[in-house]
């Protein structure tokens, strides 16, 4: 039989992914759970394991193609009648579907056969988005496109893209529209079958519609180079992490009233403390930096000032207070800005935080941050000091009440014990959501973090 594999829901309400690479080709024999290729969502690069064992008969999308969830991306020749993975199966009277053995993948009985309900095993999900064993559905399947190979995939009818009476969108998009006071009925969706996307809402709200006209093609990772070329401008498609972060930053700027405060402190004692840690065998091989100390200071400060660790739930008109800290760390990667978070950071000591920060940075640089690590953050820290920047006005990660920016540590003339001396000085920049955090609360939080950065022994008092 010919079995189709449709792009599954990879989590976080994302509706599309880009095919990055294929590890198999038409004619290859694959085993169950063998990695077929990689796709890039708006948040991470994810490997796709095979839900079938069989021979690849068609690859319907080339690398670099954006694919909607539910579209056929690859097909296999396996034993049994034709079925599709990743969606509900159509059942004619007298037909039944189930899961095969691991060696042959899911199978279904032929039309007209009497089902044996007691003997039919249940399909075991092998990838996010498969869900429970599906019930009947009347949706027609679409014929898959084949690149470079004439292999047939399925004889399903092509479904027309139609716009329903009720505007079609995902829950995150509906929430964004509510927050911005936009009626979805007034928008025309640009997604498949008229789906209203986040970009449609943001373009309507901020008049950020994409321009049209001829463009010079450029790779997704294009970086402007010096010199004069024949092309007067280069246009790069907005997709992947860049597209997601742009939408997130616009959403944050439109919904959360930002306030930013600054505090310049003498961190000489804090830097001396880090030097001592680097000499301890418990910290051998670990990277111990001002970010490590700041992570611990934030963990202690949010316990004293819980307003900085909350969420404004506009849909339910509630303020959500977190009794845990998932600490987001802004990371500049070749794919763009990512903010993975350390789960339950409040439970970690300095060594645990140093380990977690090292693993987080290594995974992010390799482009292997899983979607789960990018979700659920409650407060974030960004280290702009590594770029030689002293201060800034960081934009809140959507859904969070605060973000702390660490400036560069510089040797600066400073008043110390009644005299002028060269001291190690840095500036902390705190942005917070003024709906959730009053000025006094933000100021006290920043003062506490600064006190612990300046003198880590203060952590014993505040912890």
């Amino acid at each position: 039989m010919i079995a189709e594999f449709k792009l599954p829901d990879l989590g976080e309400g994302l509706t599309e992914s880009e095919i990055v690479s294929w590890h198999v080709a038409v004619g290859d024999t694959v085993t169950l759970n063998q990695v077929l290729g990689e796709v890039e969502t708006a948040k991470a690069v994810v490997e796709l394991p095979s839900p079938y064992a069989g021979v690849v008969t068609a690859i319907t999308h080339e690398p670099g193609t954006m694919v909607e969830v539910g579209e056929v991306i690859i097909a296999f020749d396996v034993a049994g009648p034709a079925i599709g993975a990743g969606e509900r199966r159509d059942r004619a009277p007298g037909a039944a579907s189930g899961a095969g053995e691991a060696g042959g993948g899911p199978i279904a009985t032929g039309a007209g056969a009497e089902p044996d309900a007691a003997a039919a095993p249940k399909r075991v999900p092998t990838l996010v988005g498969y869900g429970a064993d599906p019930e009947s559905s009347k949706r027609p399947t679409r014929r898959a496109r084949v690149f470079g190979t004439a292999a047939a995939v399925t004889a399903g009818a092509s479904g027309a893209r139609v716009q329903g009476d009720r505007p079609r969108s995902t829950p995150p998009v509906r929430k964004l529209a509510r927050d911005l006071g936009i009626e979805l009925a007034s928008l025309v969706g640009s997604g498949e079958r008229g789906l209203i996307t986040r970009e449609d809402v943001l373009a309507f709200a901020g008049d950020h519609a994409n321009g049209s006209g001829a463009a010079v093609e450029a790779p997704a990772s294009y970086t402007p180079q010096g010199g004069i070329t024949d092309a007067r401008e280069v246009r790069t498609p907005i997709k992947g992490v860049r597209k997601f972060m742009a939408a997130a930053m616009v959403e944050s700027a439109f919904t959360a009233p930002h306030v930013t405060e600054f505090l310049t402190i003498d961190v000489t004692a804090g830097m001396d403390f880090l030097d001592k840690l680097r000499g301890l065998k418990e910290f051998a091989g670990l990277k111990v930096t001002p970010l490590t100390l700041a992570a611990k200071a934030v963990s202690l400060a949010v316990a004293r000032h819980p307003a900085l660790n909350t969420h404004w739930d506009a849909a339910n008109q509630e303020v959500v207070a977190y009794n845990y800290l998932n600490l987001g760390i802004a990371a500049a990667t070749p794919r763009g800005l990512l903010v993975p978070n350390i789960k339950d950071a409040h439970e970690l000591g300095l060594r645990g935080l140093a380990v977690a920060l090292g693993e987080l940075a290594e995974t992010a640089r390799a482009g292997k941050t899983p979607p789960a690590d990018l979700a659920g953050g409650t407060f974030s820290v960004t280290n702009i000091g590594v770029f030689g920047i002293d201060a800034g006005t960081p934009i809140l990660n959507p859904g969070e009440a605060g973000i702390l920016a660490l400036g560069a540590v510089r040797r600066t003339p400073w008043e110390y014990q009644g005299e002028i001396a060269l001291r190690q000085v840095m500036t902390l920049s705190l942005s917070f959501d003024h709906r959730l955090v009053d000025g006094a609360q933000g100021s006290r939080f920043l003062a506490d973090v600064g006190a612990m950065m300046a003198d880590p022994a203060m952590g014993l008092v505040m912890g």
Side-chain angles (χ1 to χ4, degrees), residues 270-280 288 424:
M271 298 306 102
D272 291 343
F273 174 70
L274 293 179
D275 286 339
K276 292 178 182 178
L277 292 183
R278 296 183 187 107
L280 299 178
V288 183
Q424 298 189 73

Side-chain angles (χ1 to χ4, degrees), residues 385-412:
V386 296
F387 305 109
I389 304 301
D390 295 320
T393 56
I395 297 178
L396 294 167
N397 206 26
E400 298 178 10
I403 180 171
L404 179 71
L406 308 181
V409 178
R410 301 185 185 279
R411 288 182 61 81
T412 305

Side-chain angles (χ1 to χ4, degrees), residues 293-388:
L293 186 56
K296 186 58 182 177
V298 168
S299 299
L300 295 174
V302 294
R304 290 167 55 86
H305 310 284
L308 274 295
N309 197 35
T310 58
H311 166 65
W312 184 276
D313 186 347
N316 295 311
Q317 289 296 292
E318 295 175 338
V319 173
V320 181
Y322 301 113
N323 293 321
Y324 59 90
L325 175 65
N326 288 347
L327 185 61
I329 305 296
T333 75
R335 296 176 57 238
L337 175 64
L338 296 177
V339 191
N341 60 80
I342 301 171
K343 307 298 184 188
D344 295 323
H346 63 289
E347 296 181 349
L348 300 177
L350 274 171
R351 187 183 187 283
L353 287 169
V355 171
L357 287 168
E359 293 174 348
L360 179 149
E362 181 179 354
T363 303
R365 283 194 297 267
K368 299 295 183 181
T369 303
D373 285 356
L374 295 164
T378 64
F379 186 95
S380 294
V381 177
T382 178
N383 187 7
I384 60 176
V386 296
F387 305 109

